[in-house]
Amino acid sequence: RDGVPKRFCSELEQKLEEDITLERELRLAIDSGALSLHLQAQVDTHHDVIGAEALVRWHHPQQGMISPGRFIPIAEQTGLILPLGAWVLKEGCRLLGEWQHDPRLRHLKLSLNVSVRQFQQVTTTLRATGAPPERLTLELTESLLMSDPEGTIDKMRRLRQLGIRFALDDFGTGYSSLAYLKSLPLDTLKIDIAFVRDLTLDMQATP
């Protein structure tokens, strides 16, 4: 630690301790069912609700609502993203399956953020919950796609044969190019706001 300010070391140690504690508590939250799915409505151009995006939320007993931006990176770093993603997939499909029994809701679609490593669980989960695959959209991130593009594309194509749709979330925050997108079996492209915020002001961003 020679040459490193003591204050900086102290802040790093505190951050590490907080991450370790949060990892342990997140593991317990997943196992105990302390997480929940919040639905964000999706509307068409006529402002009619056509579906929803399910967002995982964690209400900590002491800290209150913890942002996904805080606990998702920890889940990815520690491997907890696998049980967390499995829980999101199971709960989302269970909800979608329940909608099929309600005439007012059976037309709605549901989008879920999942890891590519959850793909092998999708078919089994759909059967177990009775969720219709044609009403399900799986949202992926650029970083997950780029980790194994060829293998991921093959898995996506097989799931699309069941009627499942795919969306790329937060495009513009990673390294994918528009040319590369042509090879991806995507139905929806969600562009990150940082990618377009200054588009009209930045002359270098124009063709």
Side-chain angles (χ1 to χ4, degrees):
R1 299 183 180 180
D2 294 341
V4 180
K6 291 184 177 179
R7 178 181 176 184
F8 184 68
C9 288
S10 177
E11 291 176 349
L12 284 178
E13 290 173 351
Q14 181 179 352
K15 176 66 165 53
L16 180 59
E17 291 177 0
E18 291 176 352
D19 286 353
I20 292 175
T21 300
L22 205 62
E23 175 193 349
R24 182 176 64 253
E25 294 176 337
L26 177 58
R27 190 181 302 275
L28 292 174
I30 296 172
D31 294 339
S32 64
L35 302 176
S36 61
L37 289 183
H38 287 209
L39 299 182
Q40 180 174 294
Q42 297 173 329
V43 299
D44 61 15
T45 55
H46 300 290
H47 305 289
D48 294 324
V49 177
I50 58 174
E53 178 180 358
L55 307 172
V56 62
R57 293 292 183 262
W58 179 18
H59 193 277
H60 193 280
Q62 283 79 43
Q63 301 183 40
M65 196 68 72
I66 297 181
S67 167
R70 178 76 176 95
F71 68 83
I72 293 296
I74 291 177
E76 292 176 339
Q77 295 165 12
T78 61
L80 283 177
I81 195 66
L82 291 177
L84 176 60
W87 180 87
V88 170
L89 179 63
K90 181 179 178 180
E91 284 300 299
C93 287
R94 181 188 61 79
L95 182 62
L96 189 57
E98 290 179 353
W99 289 355
Q100 302 313 297
H101 302 292
D102 189 332
R104 300 168 300 174
L105 304 175
R106 64 177 52 165
H107 69 285
L108 296 179
K109 300 176 181 179
L110 187 67
S111 297
L112 299 175
N113 289 274
V114 299
S115 166
V116 172
R117 287 173 287 186
Q118 252 72 56
F119 280 6
Q120 60 185 5
Q121 303 170 355
V122 172
T123 303
T124 302
T125 304
L126 286 171
R127 289 201 201 99
T129 58
E134 67 275 8
R135 296 290 179 186
L136 178 64
T137 297
L138 300 180
E139 296 195 9
L140 310 172
T141 61
E142 286 184 79
S143 59
L144 291 175
L145 283 174
M146 296 301 289
S147 62
D148 179 21
E150 297 304 321
T152 299
I153 290 173
D154 181 61
K155 294 174 183 176
M156 291 172 68
R157 285 174 176 162
R158 279 183 280 170
L159 289 176
R160 285 197 79 192
Q161 292 177 355
L162 301 177
I164 295 171
R165 301 168 68 86
F166 287 94
L168 180 61
D169 197 12
D170 296 333
F171 177 76
T173 59
Y175 301 98
S176 297
S177 66
L178 290 173
Y180 178 71
L181 289 178
K182 295 180 180 179
S183 65
L184 298 174
L186 296 170
D187 301 281
T188 304
L189 181 64
K190 299 175 68 176
I191 301 176
D192 188 83
I193 189 172
F195 190 70
V196 297
R197 181 185 293 118
D198 300 322
L199 193 61
T200 58
L201 301 177
D202 186 359
M203 296 303 295
Q204 294 181 350
T206 58

